[in-house]
Amino acid sequence: MSPTVFFVAIISAMLINNVVLLRFLGVCPFLGVSKRSETALGMGGAVTFVMVVGSVLTYLIYYYVLEPFEITYISTIAFILVIASLVQLVEMFIKKVSKKLYKALGIYLPLIVTNCAILGVAETNIREGYAEEFGVMSGLGVAAASAFGAALGFTLVIFAFSSIRERLEAANVPAAWKGIPISLIVAGIMALAFLGLEGIV
């Protein structure tokens, strides 16, 4: 399989079909953890790990366990269990390595379990039919590339948004627009910018 397929999968998931700004998934941590660049990057790293590993595991479980036993109807439950287990691992790791980041992420770290972006990417990898198009094992590579691109897109957007929000704190914003209102306006402008990339790939 050509490396171009993996490149297109990454760029498409990262910019053209950005999970936050164009598919509106994972908006909760996007708004909640984007006040500081450091916490945004920490959340981006945690989401990247869970999204990529979770997508690979859920893909394998779907095609090697659920489909052969004809129990694909429980795929969502199985996917959530995998994602929850990975989040527990990430939470224990961050708590051990960086207590400051662990406290800064707060409630949003365990909420990665309910981050619909991660489940959405796992479900999309199945729905896109990579296994039918490329074969199960080659499709796994494309699914992993797509998940990695989606995670990079999430990290890019949340970091850019956090940098803008830090600048907005010092800006002369009307009192009625301070905080979440101006943040939502900025998010809307960012979404329009990403929408302009549609059709490139």
Side-chain angles (χ1 to χ4, degrees), residues 109-169:
L109 187 57
L111 279 180
I112 294 176
V113 174
T114 57
N115 186 343
C116 52
I118 294 170
L119 183 60
V121 168
E123 292 278 1
T124 300
N125 286 335
I126 303 299
R127 195 176 62 245
E128 287 293 323
Y130 298 134
E132 290 78 18
E133 188 175 346
F134 303 107
V136 175
M137 287 317 289
S138 295
L140 174 62
V142 179
S146 178
F148 182 64
L152 284 180
F154 178 88
T155 306
L156 170 73
V157 165
I158 198 171
F159 178 72
F161 190 57
S162 68
S163 301
I164 293 168
R165 284 183 80 177
E166 285 178 356
R167 296 289 300 272
L168 282 173
E169 285 182 10

Side-chain angles (χ1 to χ4, degrees), residues 12 16 44 49 60 72 79 81 93 128 132 166 192-193 200:
S12 176
I16 288 73
F49 174 80
L60 291 171
T72 54
F79 290 4
L81 287 172
F93 177 77
E128 287 293 323
E132 290 78 18
E166 285 178 356
L192 284 173
I200 290 176

Side-chain angles (χ1 to χ4, degrees), residues 19-198:
V19 287
V20 179
L21 295 179
L22 298 176
R23 291 170 60 195
F24 305 109
L25 300 173
V27 175
C28 175
F30 173 69
L31 291 173
V33 191
S34 59
K35 290 180 182 172
R36 295 280 171 265
S37 299
E38 299 81 19
T39 54
L41 280 176
M43 176 59 82
V47 166
T48 299
F49 174 80
V50 174
M51 193 175 282
V52 173
V53 177
S55 290
V56 169
L57 291 176
T58 53
Y59 182 95
L60 291 171
I61 287 168
Y62 185 87
Y63 285 108
Y64 288 105
V65 178
L66 302 181
E67 206 173 58
F69 289 102
E70 297 179 2
I71 51 171
T72 54
Y73 55 87
I74 65 161
S75 63
T76 303
I77 296 168
F79 290 4
I80 290 171
L81 287 172
V82 169
I83 292 165
S85 302
L86 288 171
V87 170
Q88 283 297 105
L89 287 172
V90 169
E91 191 174 357
M92 288 187 295
F93 177 77
I94 292 176
K95 191 174 184 180
K96 185 84 172 166
V97 172
S98 175
K99 288 197 185 294
K100 185 181 174 186
L101 179 61
Y102 180 78
K103 285 182 180 174
L105 291 174
I107 189 65
Y108 293 99
L109 187 57
L111 279 180
I112 294 176
V113 174
T114 57
N115 186 343
C116 52
I118 294 170
L119 183 60
V121 168
E123 292 278 1
T124 300
N125 286 335
I126 303 299
R127 195 176 62 245
E128 287 293 323
Y130 298 134
E132 290 78 18
E133 188 175 346
F134 303 107
V136 175
M137 287 317 289
S138 295
L140 174 62
V142 179
S146 178
F148 182 64
L152 284 180
F154 178 88
T155 306
L156 170 73
V157 165
I158 198 171
F159 178 72
F161 190 57
S162 68
S163 301
I164 293 168
R165 284 183 80 177
E166 285 178 356
R167 296 289 300 272
L168 282 173
E169 285 182 10
N172 187 17
V173 178
W177 286 22
K178 283 194 176 193
I180 293 295
I182 192 68
S183 298
L184 290 173
I185 291 168
V186 168
I189 294 168
M190 287 175 69
L192 284 173
F194 273 74
L195 192 62
L197 299 170
E198 193 173 358

